[in-house]
Amino acid sequence: MKYLCINIVHNDRFVNKVEVYQNGRGPNWYGHVGFTSNTLPHQVGQDGNPVPWVIVEPLQTVREGTDLCGEAWERYGAGYRDVGHVCVRL
């Protein structure tokens, strides 16, 4: 895990904002983070070091059992390697 964080601003199942980011307490790494969910569209951030945040503002009520997840991908050779996932279920 590459020090990946997810912050969800919500009221019950109404989701205002989801932030996915490198928390800065560990070593920096070059790559990107993304947001994924079993009910909302997938979003991927830009590459960087430090890694830029991904902020999603769905402003909607999600169904019970919705997973809101952050993912981290580190640049590795000509591609990327998966270096972390964190999920919250509403």
mmCIF file of all heavy atoms in Angstrom, residues 20-22 31-34 45-54:
data_model
loop_
_atom_site.group_PDB
_atom_site.id
_atom_site.type_symbol
_atom_site.label_atom_id
_atom_site.label_comp_id
_atom_site.label_asym_id
_atom_site.label_seq_id
_atom_site.Cartn_x
_atom_site.Cartn_y
_atom_site.Cartn_z
ATOM 1 N N VAL A 20 -9.742 11.109 -3.390
ATOM 2 C CA VAL A 20 -8.754 10.026 -3.341
ATOM 3 C C VAL A 20 -7.388 10.685 -3.491
ATOM 4 O O VAL A 20 -7.176 11.483 -4.409
ATOM 5 C CB VAL A 20 -8.980 8.998 -4.475
ATOM 6 C CG1 VAL A 20 -7.948 7.887 -4.390
ATOM 7 C CG2 VAL A 20 -10.393 8.430 -4.423
ATOM 8 N N TYR A 21 -6.461 10.340 -2.581
ATOM 9 C CA TYR A 21 -5.176 11.036 -2.608
ATOM 10 C C TYR A 21 -4.081 10.236 -1.905
ATOM 11 O O TYR A 21 -4.349 9.341 -1.116
ATOM 12 C CB TYR A 21 -5.296 12.421 -1.965
ATOM 13 C CG TYR A 21 -5.851 12.410 -0.557
ATOM 14 C CD1 TYR A 21 -5.006 12.439 0.540
ATOM 15 C CD2 TYR A 21 -7.226 12.365 -0.323
ATOM 16 C CE1 TYR A 21 -5.507 12.433 1.840
ATOM 17 C CE2 TYR A 21 -7.731 12.366 0.960
ATOM 18 C CZ TYR A 21 -6.866 12.401 2.039
ATOM 19 O OH TYR A 21 -7.373 12.390 3.321
ATOM 20 N N GLN A 22 -2.860 10.608 -2.220
ATOM 21 C CA GLN A 22 -1.673 10.103 -1.522
ATOM 22 C C GLN A 22 -1.564 10.935 -0.254
ATOM 23 O O GLN A 22 -1.577 12.165 -0.317
ATOM 24 C CB GLN A 22 -0.456 10.310 -2.420
ATOM 25 C CG GLN A 22 0.854 9.966 -1.792
ATOM 26 C CD GLN A 22 2.025 10.335 -2.711
ATOM 27 O OE1 GLN A 22 1.843 10.772 -3.821
ATOM 28 N NE2 GLN A 22 3.209 10.165 -2.214
ATOM 29 N N GLY A 31 3.078 8.334 -10.154
ATOM 30 C CA GLY A 31 1.982 7.545 -10.691
ATOM 31 C C GLY A 31 0.690 8.316 -10.586
ATOM 32 O O GLY A 31 0.684 9.546 -10.652
ATOM 33 N N HIS A 32 -0.419 7.597 -10.418
ATOM 34 C CA HIS A 32 -1.716 8.253 -10.320
ATOM 35 C C HIS A 32 -2.647 7.475 -9.404
ATOM 36 O O HIS A 32 -2.392 6.324 -9.079
ATOM 37 C CB HIS A 32 -2.361 8.431 -11.700
ATOM 38 C CG HIS A 32 -2.633 7.150 -12.414
ATOM 39 N ND1 HIS A 32 -1.751 6.597 -13.298
ATOM 40 C CD2 HIS A 32 -3.690 6.297 -12.369
ATOM 41 C CE1 HIS A 32 -2.250 5.466 -13.780
ATOM 42 N NE2 HIS A 32 -3.432 5.260 -13.231
ATOM 43 N N VAL A 33 -3.718 8.153 -8.980
ATOM 44 C CA VAL A 33 -4.774 7.519 -8.201
ATOM 45 C C VAL A 33 -6.051 7.587 -9.026
ATOM 46 O O VAL A 33 -6.167 8.359 -9.978
ATOM 47 C CB VAL A 33 -4.979 8.184 -6.819
ATOM 48 C CG1 VAL A 33 -3.745 8.014 -5.949
ATOM 49 C CG2 VAL A 33 -5.381 9.642 -6.943
ATOM 50 N N GLY A 34 -7.006 6.763 -8.624
ATOM 51 C CA GLY A 34 -8.286 6.754 -9.313
ATOM 52 C C GLY A 34 -9.416 6.467 -8.352
ATOM 53 O O GLY A 34 -9.199 6.056 -7.208
ATOM 54 N N GLY A 45 -6.916 9.883 -12.258
ATOM 55 C CA GLY A 45 -6.205 11.152 -12.209
ATOM 56 C C GLY A 45 -4.973 11.154 -13.104
ATOM 57 O O GLY A 45 -4.604 10.141 -13.699
ATOM 58 N N GLN A 46 -4.331 12.290 -13.164
ATOM 59 C CA GLN A 46 -3.108 12.455 -13.950
ATOM 60 C C GLN A 46 -1.908 11.935 -13.179
ATOM 61 O O GLN A 46 -1.912 11.890 -11.953
ATOM 62 C CB GLN A 46 -2.904 13.912 -14.300
ATOM 63 C CG GLN A 46 -3.984 14.457 -15.195
ATOM 64 C CD GLN A 46 -3.699 15.892 -15.608
ATOM 65 O OE1 GLN A 46 -2.625 16.433 -15.360
ATOM 66 N NE2 GLN A 46 -4.651 16.516 -16.242
ATOM 67 N N ASP A 47 -0.857 11.567 -13.915
ATOM 68 C CA ASP A 47 0.395 11.155 -13.301
ATOM 69 C C ASP A 47 1.098 12.352 -12.678
ATOM 70 O O ASP A 47 0.988 13.473 -13.171
ATOM 71 C CB ASP A 47 1.334 10.544 -14.341
ATOM 72 C CG ASP A 47 0.998 9.101 -14.650
ATOM 73 O OD1 ASP A 47 0.095 8.537 -14.015
ATOM 74 O OD2 ASP A 47 1.648 8.526 -15.533
ATOM 75 N N GLY A 48 1.852 12.082 -11.620
ATOM 76 C CA GLY A 48 2.638 13.120 -11.001
ATOM 77 C C GLY A 48 3.373 12.604 -9.789
ATOM 78 O O GLY A 48 3.212 11.462 -9.371
ATOM 79 N N ASN A 49 4.234 13.445 -9.231
ATOM 80 C CA ASN A 49 4.930 13.178 -7.991
ATOM 81 C C ASN A 49 5.140 14.541 -7.321
ATOM 82 O O ASN A 49 5.979 15.304 -7.775
ATOM 83 C CB ASN A 49 6.256 12.493 -8.227
ATOM 84 C CG ASN A 49 6.984 12.165 -6.929
ATOM 85 O OD1 ASN A 49 6.578 12.582 -5.856
ATOM 86 N ND2 ASN A 49 8.061 11.446 -7.030
ATOM 87 N N PRO A 50 4.389 14.890 -6.288
ATOM 88 C CA PRO A 50 3.392 14.035 -5.637
ATOM 89 C C PRO A 50 2.213 13.768 -6.565
ATOM 90 O O PRO A 50 1.953 14.519 -7.504
ATOM 91 C CB PRO A 50 2.978 14.819 -4.406
ATOM 92 C CG PRO A 50 3.265 16.239 -4.729
ATOM 93 C CD PRO A 50 4.450 16.219 -5.653
ATOM 94 N N VAL A 51 1.503 12.716 -6.261
ATOM 95 C CA VAL A 51 0.378 12.274 -7.080
ATOM 96 C C VAL A 51 -0.795 13.241 -6.917
ATOM 97 O O VAL A 51 -1.210 13.519 -5.796
ATOM 98 C CB VAL A 51 -0.028 10.843 -6.669
ATOM 99 C CG1 VAL A 51 -1.264 10.391 -7.404
ATOM 100 C CG2 VAL A 51 1.125 9.879 -6.892
ATOM 101 N N PRO A 52 -1.353 13.779 -8.036
ATOM 102 C CA PRO A 52 -2.505 14.671 -7.928
ATOM 103 C C PRO A 52 -3.746 13.962 -7.381
ATOM 104 O O PRO A 52 -3.955 12.775 -7.634
ATOM 105 C CB PRO A 52 -2.751 15.113 -9.376
ATOM 106 C CG PRO A 52 -1.461 14.860 -10.089
ATOM 107 C CD PRO A 52 -0.856 13.668 -9.407
ATOM 108 N N TRP A 53 -4.565 14.688 -6.667
ATOM 109 C CA TRP A 53 -5.809 14.162 -6.104
ATOM 110 C C TRP A 53 -6.816 13.881 -7.218
ATOM 111 O O TRP A 53 -6.785 14.509 -8.276
ATOM 112 C CB TRP A 53 -6.444 15.189 -5.189
ATOM 113 C CG TRP A 53 -5.745 15.436 -3.893
ATOM 114 C CD1 TRP A 53 -4.398 15.463 -3.673
ATOM 115 C CD2 TRP A 53 -6.354 15.717 -2.644
ATOM 116 N NE1 TRP A 53 -4.142 15.742 -2.357
ATOM 117 C CE2 TRP A 53 -5.330 15.906 -1.704
ATOM 118 C CE3 TRP A 53 -7.665 15.831 -2.233
ATOM 119 C CZ2 TRP A 53 -5.581 16.192 -0.376
ATOM 120 C CZ3 TRP A 53 -7.916 16.126 -0.896
ATOM 121 C CH2 TRP A 53 -6.882 16.305 0.017
ATOM 122 N N VAL A 54 -7.759 12.989 -6.932
ATOM 123 C CA VAL A 54 -8.951 12.808 -7.750
ATOM 124 C C VAL A 54 -10.130 13.196 -6.860
ATOM 125 O O VAL A 54 -10.262 12.693 -5.742
ATOM 126 C CB VAL A 54 -9.098 11.349 -8.239
ATOM 127 C CG1 VAL A 54 -10.477 11.106 -8.813
ATOM 128 C CG2 VAL A 54 -8.027 11.022 -9.260
#
